Structures are given as structure tokens and as C-alpha cells.
Amino acid sequence: MSEFLISITPMNWLLDPLTHDFMRRALMVSALVGGVCGLLSCYMTLKGWALMGDAVSHAVMPGVVVAYALGLPFSLGAFVFGVGSVALIGFVKQKSRIKEDTVIGLVFTGFFALGLVLVSKIKSNIDLMQILFGSPLGISRADVNQTLIISFIVISILLVFRKDLMLYCFDAKHARSIGINTGILHYLLLTLLSLSAVVGLQTVGIILVVAMLITPGATAYLLTDRFDQMTLLAVASSAFSSILGVYISYWSDIETGGSIVLVQTLIFLIAFLFAPRYGILKNQIYINNN
Amino acid sequence: MNPIFKSHEKDFMRIEAEQVCVDYNGTVALYDASLNLKAGSICGLVGMNGAGKSTFFKALMGFVRPSRGKISINGMKVHQAQKEQSVAYVPQNEGIDYSFPVSVWDVVMMGRYGSMNIFRIPRESDRRAVVHALERVDLLDLRERPIGSLSGGQRKRAFLARAIAQRASVLLLDEPFSGVDVPTEKLMAELFLQFRQEGHTILISTHDLNHVRDFCDFVVLINKTVLAYGETSEVFTSENLNKTFGGIPPNPLSAPASSKDFVNE
């Protein structure tokens, strides 16, 4: 890769991919999806819903397959199964003595397995690899439109309810005590999670969507003590990782989803080591000086 | 039903609970609990752990639905009173994540959310309410600090400020004195007396009888139901306390000498 890089200038490295229609589309969609998932990831990490994010993103699998088979927009099927899995988790938890994390694990693996079985049984031109690992470079115009619409919905709802959802994550009891309907907020957040998982699997696929839903939030959480700053940092780092991931994937011909998530993980590692207040090296210096 | 109020003018009641029963899946946690509190009074809710103190609080805040009975706050249903910001609740805060990225200012501002429009954008009046509340609990200088960097007593004060900022006429405080330092305890006790002066109605749950003695006008002794209720000097007898705590006095207060001191005060 290095000798390859020497032969092109940084300018070319940035501009060449933009001459391709598919790359412009991939970069636009990836940045948007990164931003949306980055925004939501703040709420997921603060509420402690990482496992829930994993569950919902896996549980959409059969929905995607069924939607493809029926010729419906895949996001519709994914959304129905995402919300369905959440409802089922709530139901099983309420009606049995099983602990929540067990129920979550049970339900999402069941849904995911159903998806795998359906893929092998329903004869269609579904590309399993595309569902599992995403393919932003091969995204169709119809899929771009779906992504735009869903992203718009998620961003609008998060902008309107960001304070209420933040309060719900911080202190649901207080929210209730001032007359806010926390039941609605709970399901609103779960709905947003399902929608974000749907757009996220466009770029990184079902398996890695959960990274989009937690890593940017976790990185930002290490960098600031302010909620608003945290959301901005998460969105910025997530969109940046997505764009850089797509570029790297283009130039070095590596799998795009993996590339995006790996960049995110690297940014997290940098924050983990060097964050001004919460990085581990900061603590090290502090200990050595005392 | 409560003789104390018969002598007073017929003011409308701030808190009215009538024969409230709460059960959790068939297990009775509270039965026939009644309570009437008027404006400008402080009432202590005293009982052992598991006596139904927090259940009573939860019922008053609408967190649990009573299986029987009626509760109203300022003459309204609980939910309505909450929407009107008539009642503020200061919980014990065991469940709070103190590494949450919010400042003291942000936390106190949360007390104003119910009065704001849907976007929760603070107006000048909201900011003034927050400044005022922070001044009263002596935290204005620390307003920019992350909530997690405060000491235990300061945290308690921050959550009290949030309730003050709400500007509610009724305040419910769940064990406000547990785990606070002495300066905070003094500051809070003084604040409660000021609130009473301003016409607030305050219900405090506590198992520290000294606090009840110091500033509660009324006391409710509770063990699954209201055992005794009335003016502190009348209700706070060794006999009643023994009943409440099942014959085991919780602290020296119920020993003859000190309890006498207290009653005479």
C-alpha cells in the first residue's frame, strides 16, 4: 500500500474517488449514517443500552430478508422486526423471571437465526454478505432515498426531544415527577434505535451496526463533561470515521464496513489513551507526579 | 378526621390522602393511609425501613397506583398537579449516574423543563429561577462544575436546588438528611424553615427523630398504615414511637429523659 500511496498526491487521494458516481453516493450516505448513528450513540451509551443496540441490529435480519423477498423497501421490514424484537424483549422480561440481559440475548439470536434460515430457504437474489457486512459502495439510488428519509426523521426527533431524552437517560424519576410521560420517551428511544440500526446496516452491515451505535458515544464521553459537546463530538468523529473508512476501503480495496468501524475503534483508542481528563495516560502522569 | 385542623381556618389542603392502599402483586405495602397537610407546614413521615414510607411517597408522586383510596395535591389529581408544577420531589438519588456529562447548572435547569415549551429552551425567567435556587443552596459558585465532581452534601444540595427551581408549592423530600455533612444539614434545615415561612408545604421522610423534633410541625408515624398523626408535640410520645418501631427505640430520643426534653421544648 505504501508504494501505492507515494505515487499519488494527497489531493488526488481525496479527489479521485469523487469522480465516480458510486463513490460520491457512498461518501454522502456513509457520512450521513455516521452522523445519525453518532448522535444516537450518545443516548445509547449514557442509558446503558449497548446490548439493546446489538439486539435490535441483529433482530432486523429476518425483516430485511422478508422485505426483499416481497419486493418491499428493506427498511420497512427491518423496522418492523426491530420494533418487534424490542416489544418481545419487554414482554418476555415482564412475564418471566429471567433477567433482562438473558432475555435480550435470547431474543436477538433467535431472530438472527430466523433470518439466516430464511436467506437459505427463500430463493431470491439476496446477497447474504451484503446484509451482514453492508456495501456502501454498491448502494442503489432507491436505498439512498430510504436512508435520506429515515435519517431526516431520526435527526428531527432527536433535535426536538434531545433535552427530554437526555433527562430520561439521566433521571427518569425526575422526568416523571414533573409530568413528562417517560413511557412514551422509552419507546421513542427504542424506535429511534430501530431506525438507526436500519440506516446503519446500509454502510457497515448487521454485524457491525452496534459499533456505530456505541463507539462514537463512548469516544465523546471520554472527551467532555458536557452533554451538548458530547453529541457534537460523537457526530463529528462518527461522520469522519465513516468518510475516512470509505476512502481507505476504496484505495486499498478492503471491506468497507470493517474499515469504517476500525477507524472508529482507533479514534476511541486515541481518546482512551490521550483524552485530556479521562485518558489513561493522563492518570499515569498524575500518579507519577504525586 | 384530624382534630388539629378543626381549630384552623378552612384553608384548602395542599396534600390530601384518603384511605390510600397500595399492594404489590397481592402483598400489602400500605393500607388506609390518610393525611391532610395545609399550606405553610412541615410534616415528618417517620417509620422503620419497610414500613411503607417510600411506598407512601411513591403513591403521592403517582409512581405507584393505589389499589384503593384517593390522593390529591392542591386539590388536583397527582398527575395534573405534576403537570402544573405544583409538586416537587427530591428523591434519595441512589440510582443517579454521577459520571453523566451534565453540570450543576444543567441539573438545576432540569427543574424548569416542565415549565418550558417542547424544545426546552430556557427563557430569562428560567435562568433567574436557577440562579435563585443555586444561591439558596449556596452552590452558585460551583454551577459550571460537572455534577460528579461534587461532594455528597453538595450533590444533595444540587438536587434540592432543582426542586426549588421548580417553584412548586408542595415539596416531597425522601430522606433528605441521609449521608450529608454537617454544614449541608444545617443549611437544609434552615431552608426548610424558610420554605414554611413562604407558605410551602413540606413532607419529609426520615428515620432520624432529632430532625422531626427540630422543625416538623406535624408528624405521621407509619407502619404499613398511619399509626398516629398530628402535631409533633402531641404525637411524639414514647408510647407512639414504641408502636412505630415495634418496641425497639431507634435512638436515645425515645428514652424517657430526652423524649421529655423534646416534648417540653
Side-chain angles (χ1 to χ4, degrees):
Chain A
M1 188 176 154
S2 53
E3 64 268 40
F4 183 52
L5 283 178
I6 291 163
S7 66
I8 54 165
T9 64
M11 215 51 191
N12 287 341
W13 196 83
L14 281 175
L15 293 180
D16 272 4
L18 297 179
T19 58
H20 304 289
D21 201 28
F22 78 91
M23 272 303 285
R24 283 201 298 273
R25 216 153 47 204
L27 284 166
M28 197 264 288
V29 167
S30 302
L32 183 62
V33 167
V36 169
C37 291
L39 190 55
L40 192 73
S41 70
C42 296
Y43 298 90
M44 293 296 114
T45 47
L46 289 174
K47 186 78 189 153
W49 274 7
L51 187 58
M52 197 60 118
D54 204 16
V56 169
S57 56
H58 279 79
V60 301
M61 170 93 171
V64 175
V65 179
V66 170
Y68 269 124
L70 297 177
L72 294 167
F74 84 95
S75 54
L76 187 68
F79 179 66
V80 168
F81 274 79
V83 172
S85 70
V86 166
L88 196 61
I89 287 168
F91 180 78
V92 175
K93 195 186 120 194
Q94 208 172 29
K95 296 287 172 193
S96 76
R97 59 195 294 244
I98 303 168
K99 288 196 180 70
E100 184 173 29
D101 63 331
T102 308
V103 177
I104 292 174
L106 235 155
V107 170
F108 93 69
T109 48
F111 272 66
F112 190 64
L114 177 66
L116 287 177
V117 169
L118 285 177
V119 170
S120 66
K121 220 48 201 166
I122 297 175
K123 289 287 166 247
S124 69
N125 54 353
I126 302 167
D127 182 356
L128 180 63
M129 295 308 274
Q130 188 188 331
I131 299 175
L132 292 183
F133 301 109
S135 64
L137 304 193
I139 193 166
S140 71
R141 259 177 222 286
D143 288 351
V144 171
N145 289 337
Q146 284 181 41
T147 308
L148 285 176
I149 293 166
I150 296 172
S151 300
F152 177 76
I153 293 170
V154 173
I155 292 172
S156 312
I157 294 176
L158 277 176
L159 283 181
V160 174
F161 290 104
R162 71 194 173 100
K163 292 276 181 74
D164 286 44
L165 288 168
M166 185 262 280
L167 175 58
Y168 173 62
C169 293
F170 176 62
D171 190 350
K173 234 184 195 173
H174 174 70
R176 268 182 86 173
S177 81
I178 60 172
I180 292 175
N181 189 332
T182 50
I184 288 182
L185 288 181
H186 180 84
Y187 284 101
L188 185 66
L189 199 53
L190 285 170
T191 305
L192 293 174
L193 168 59
S194 298
L195 289 172
S196 306
V198 169
V199 292
L201 66 88
Q202 292 270 19
T203 57
V204 299
I206 280 174
I207 309 267
L208 287 177
V209 149
V210 66
M212 304 285 286
L213 292 171
I214 55 175
T215 311
T219 305
Y221 183 59
L222 290 178
L223 295 172
T224 179
D225 281 316
R226 284 302 170 88
F227 183 77
D228 286 343
Q229 281 175 10
M230 180 177 166
T231 52
L232 291 177
L233 284 167
V235 168
S237 83
S238 184
F240 174 78
S241 316
S242 298
I243 292 170
L244 187 60
V246 170
Y247 268 104
I248 293 172
S249 160
Y250 174 86
W251 284 111
S252 46
D253 195 25
I254 55 172
E255 206 271 313
T256 317
S259 162
I260 291 173
V261 173
L262 211 52
V263 173
Q264 271 187 355
T265 311
L266 280 174
I267 294 177
F268 171 80
L269 271 176
I270 293 167
F272 177 66
L273 291 174
F274 303 109
R277 198 170 309 165
Y278 300 112
I280 56 166
L281 293 183
K282 152 85 191 179
N283 291 341
Q284 210 57 48
I285 292 161
Y286 180 78
I287 291 162
N288 289 344
N289 287 349
N290 283 270
Chain B
M1 55 158 282
N2 290 294
I4 349 143
F5 290 119
K6 281 185 183 148
S7 55
H8 290 278
E9 76 259 29
K10 230 15 201 145
D11 201 355
F12 77 93
M13 289 300 156
R14 295 293 197 185
I15 301 178
E16 274 178 291
E18 231 176 84
Q19 309 232 299
V20 172
C21 301
V22 177
D23 57 306
Y24 299 114
N25 303 321
T27 313
V28 176
L30 191 70
Y31 64 93
D32 286 344
S34 299
L35 177 70
N36 286 296
L37 277 182
K38 64 182 179 69
S41 57
I42 303 180
C43 178
L45 184 63
V46 177
M48 289 188 295
N49 286 335
K53 271 182 304 185
S54 43
T55 300
F56 203 6
F57 259 58
K58 282 180 189 160
L60 289 173
M61 285 310 294
F63 294 161
V64 294
R65 194 186 289 274
S67 51
R68 216 156 60 83
K70 219 177 77 183
I71 296 171
S72 60
I73 290 171
N74 280 349
M76 291 174 278
K77 285 197 165 135
V78 172
H79 187 62
Q80 190 60 30
Q82 286 172 336
K83 286 207 151 170
E84 306 260 330
Q85 309 302 311
S86 295
V87 53
Y89 173 59
V90 184
Q92 283 197 55
N93 292 337
E94 307 106 336
I96 295 288
D97 168 16
Y98 283 105
S99 55
F100 205 94
V102 283
S103 65
V104 175
W105 177 273
D106 297 333
V107 169
V108 179
M109 189 59 89
M110 289 170 187
R112 302 294 309 158
Y113 279 15
S115 313
M116 296 178 191
N117 65 15
I118 188 160
F119 296 102
R120 317 289 184 206
I121 297 165
R123 291 153 302 182
E124 193 46 43
S125 58
D126 297 312
R127 285 192 205 95
R128 273 203 304 274
V130 172
V131 168
H132 175 74
L134 283 167
E135 275 170 350
R136 293 194 78 169
V137 301
D138 198 20
L139 278 182
L140 194 59
D141 293 343
L142 302 182
R143 63 186 180 276
E144 296 296 328
R145 293 264 294 270
I147 188 75
S149 72
L150 300 188
S151 71
Q154 289 167 338
R155 287 173 186 178
K156 279 262 180 189
R157 271 147 58 194
F159 283 94
L160 181 60
R162 182 172 72 178
I164 296 172
Q166 219 178 315
R167 302 226 157 122
S169 52
V170 176
L171 289 169
L172 302 184
L173 300 114
D174 200 357
E175 299 279 358
F177 295 105
S178 73
V180 301
D181 46 68
V182 175
T184 297
E185 187 176 326
K186 266 183 80 176
L187 183 139
M188 291 207 302
E190 272 165 32
L191 271 177
F192 296 160
L193 294 175
Q194 287 171 21
F195 293 158
R196 175 172 62 187
Q197 209 70 46
E198 294 158 14
H200 287 92
T201 300
I202 306 171
L203 184 64
I204 295 174
S205 87
T206 182
H207 52 253
D208 188 332
L209 304 183
N210 291 312
H211 292 127
V212 178
R213 174 177 62 175
D214 287 344
F215 53 76
C216 289
D217 309 305
F218 304 102
V219 63
V220 185
L221 297 178
I222 184 170
N223 192 3
K224 301 288 181 199
T225 188
V226 174
L227 298 173
Y229 170 50
E231 277 184 46
T232 308
S233 54
E234 287 167 16
V235 170
F236 236 39
T237 60
S238 314
E239 192 194 334
N240 275 340
L241 289 172
N242 279 343
K243 225 166 32 169
T244 310
F245 291 95
I248 313 149
N251 70 15
L253 181 73
S254 49
S258 61
S259 98
K260 214 176 192 175
D261 286 345
F262 149 61
V263 171
N264 292 342
E265 250 170 34

